[in-house]
Amino acid sequence: MLSLTRSEDPSNPTGLNNEFIYKGKTYPINLSFDTVISFYQLLDDDHFSAEEKIVVAFQMFFGFEPHNADFAVAAFEQINEYLRQNPYGNDDDDDVSNNDMQGNVMKPIKYYSFTQDAEAIYSSFMEQYGINLLREKQRMHWDEFKALFAGLNEKTYMSRIIQIRMRDTSKLEGQELTDAINAQQYYELDENKTEKAREQQFMGFMNTMKAWAQS
């Protein structure tokens, strides 16, 4: 049994999650925000084979190559569950539910990407918090990063981009419509960086890992 736990290590006074327990043994795990974002970038990187991604990802989080296939599969299943967690359920605050033509509620749309929007996020953290994220690499925990990201006010660059993407243009006309469409096209998310694409990439990653475990 593997579980992600809050640290009781005195050197980690925040107590934020940074340990995995597997069959009674504790493994430290690197959950800094830049490690998580680098993992997302890795999933989207075609320069690595699926097998290479397993090794690189494991080194990112655990600092060593995976030798126990069952541990590796269990670890990344738990990592995926952890990264999807949010304080108000598993739908992020910036998601909006849409209805299809029959009025059925559809899965919320993601209006941001931690990778594609990296520069806007950096700018917004500096603007609101005075935090230079480049200096926080390997220091700021993913939980802390997510909380600060969720707390960005509507005046920040990132929040304005999200507002542009979310804007309903169906009732706009003339120059206002043209400007809104141009802005949405300019800030349009790459299909490879949407939440749906990321989930598909992770599923492909997990399928490769499971096949490796069974080989």
Side-chain angles (χ1 to χ4, degrees), residues 94-150:
D94 293 318
D95 294 347
V96 175
S97 295
N98 292 334
N99 295 331
D100 62 17
M101 298 299 291
Q102 288 74 42
N104 299 315
V105 177
M106 300 171 65
K107 185 177 181 179
I109 300 171
K110 298 284 182 176
Y111 288 99
Y112 61 86
S113 163
F114 289 125
T115 53
Q116 188 173 339
D117 292 322
E119 291 185 4
I121 295 171
Y122 170 86
S123 172
S124 299
F125 271 57
M126 281 290 292
E127 180 182 356
Q128 181 166 327
Y129 304 118
I131 294 176
N132 184 336
L133 285 175
L134 294 178
R135 296 177 180 173
E136 294 297 324
K137 287 185 175 182
Q138 297 301 300
R139 296 174 57 187
M140 181 182 289
H141 193 281
W142 177 247
D143 287 346
E144 183 180 3
F145 172 84
K146 283 202 308 178
L148 292 173
F149 178 82

Side-chain angles (χ1 to χ4, degrees), residues 43-79:
L43 293 180
D44 194 39
D45 194 333
D46 294 332
H47 292 92
F48 293 92
S49 68
E51 292 76 14
E52 289 172 332
K53 288 181 180 181
I54 293 174
V55 175
V56 174
F58 212 84
Q59 289 175 328
M60 283 181 175
F61 287 110
F62 292 98
F64 58 89
E65 294 187 14
H67 299 295
N68 183 324
D70 292 335
F71 171 76
V73 171
F76 278 96
E77 286 179 341
Q78 188 68 18
I79 288 173

